[in-house]
Amino acid sequence: MTTPLRIGLLIFPGFQALDAFGPIDCLNILSRTHPLTLSILAHTLDPVSTRDPNLPNALGQSIVPTHTFSSPPELDLLLVPGGFGTRHLDSEPIKGAIQFIADVYPSLKWLATVCTGSALVAKSGVLDGKRATTNKRAFQDVTSWREEVEWVAKARWVVDGNIWTSSGVSAGIDLILSWIGVVYGEEVGRGIGEIIEYTRHEDAEDDPFAGLYGLA
């Protein structure tokens, strides 16, 4: 692949840090040898915190968007993290995120979600009739939001067409390393896993947390 692959990271108040930065760090390493661009998309250009707006005393870190949902760049891959912020369905940032996902999906090559990021994609209607998974601790809540989705309880990640969805938080690293393996070659994905000294789940059905939360 000689032209840069265009990656977008969607963020909102209360997004989970590792949901976003686990996969992004893998892509940072990938960009040392393969051309990539990264855009960070949010409701406004104001800094966006990982802190849930309902938990003002919790720790949080902020990231500065490069684009708004209303003026996005062209993208190949959109990554949607989860986090407590996904529960604020009546907030303007979340309503904007859901509409943006619905609008941009037809032009994407791939859409990837981590944790409850799949809830936002489900709300957009993009997952209707497709197989998908989500955070196992929040599985019952998330799956009730959109019954038109074929929710898979025992899955570390699920691929249906060009949509990749993962289980909770650290599962996003397994998802992105697998995606890198498909797009750039398994040796590349495996090599990045070794660089970050991460023990991968290489079997998409190897999901210990489904049993922990009584889903398998």
Side-chain angles (χ1 to χ4, degrees), residues 136 153-154 207-216:
K136 299 311 182 292
K154 189 178 180 182
D207 183 5
F209 295 96
L212 178 65
Y213 292 108
L215 300 171

Side-chain angles (χ1 to χ4, degrees), residues 80 98 101 111 113 116-128 132-134 142-149 151 165:
V80 182
I98 292 170
I101 292 166
L111 173 62
T113 75
T116 55
S118 59
L120 301 184
V121 178
K123 277 289 188 180
S124 77
V126 166
L127 289 180
D128 286 359
T133 197
T134 190
V142 170
T143 57
S144 70
W145 292 4
R146 195 77 175 186
E147 295 181 355
E148 294 87 346
V149 181
W151 294 105
T165 58

Side-chain angles (χ1 to χ4, degrees), residues 75-129:
L75 299 171
D76 297 306
L77 167 66
L78 178 65
L79 177 67
V80 182
F84 282 113
T86 58
R87 276 70 166 179
H88 302 301
L89 293 175
D90 292 331
S91 72
E92 290 304 315
I94 293 299
K95 289 193 291 186
I98 292 170
Q99 186 60 56
F100 171 69
I101 292 166
D103 292 341
V104 76
Y105 173 67
S107 66
L108 298 174
K109 291 183 179 178
W110 302 278
L111 173 62
T113 75
V114 182
C115 195
T116 55
S118 59
L120 301 184
V121 178
K123 277 289 188 180
S124 77
V126 166
L127 289 180
D128 286 359

Side-chain angles (χ1 to χ4, degrees), residues 137-184:
R137 185 176 183 181
F139 193 83
Q140 301 296 347
D141 287 339
V142 170
T143 57
S144 70
W145 292 4
R146 195 77 175 186
E147 295 181 355
E148 294 87 346
V149 181
E150 185 181 341
W151 294 105
V152 181
K154 189 178 180 182
R156 187 69 174 168
W157 72 91
V158 169
V159 182
D160 192 328
N162 67 344
I163 299 179
W164 295 58
T165 58
S166 83
S167 186
V169 195
S170 64
I173 300 175
D174 294 318
L175 177 149
I176 205 67
L177 291 175
S178 179
W179 177 86
I180 289 170
V182 169
V183 177
Y184 293 94

Side-chain angles (χ1 to χ4, degrees), residues 9 13 16 36 38 49 60 74 88 92 101 105 125 142 145 149 198 202:
L9 171 65
Q16 184 76 27
L36 306 175
L38 174 64
S49 176
E74 293 185 3
H88 302 301
E92 290 304 315
I101 292 166
Y105 173 67
V142 170
W145 292 4
V149 181
Y198 179 71
E202 298 191 42

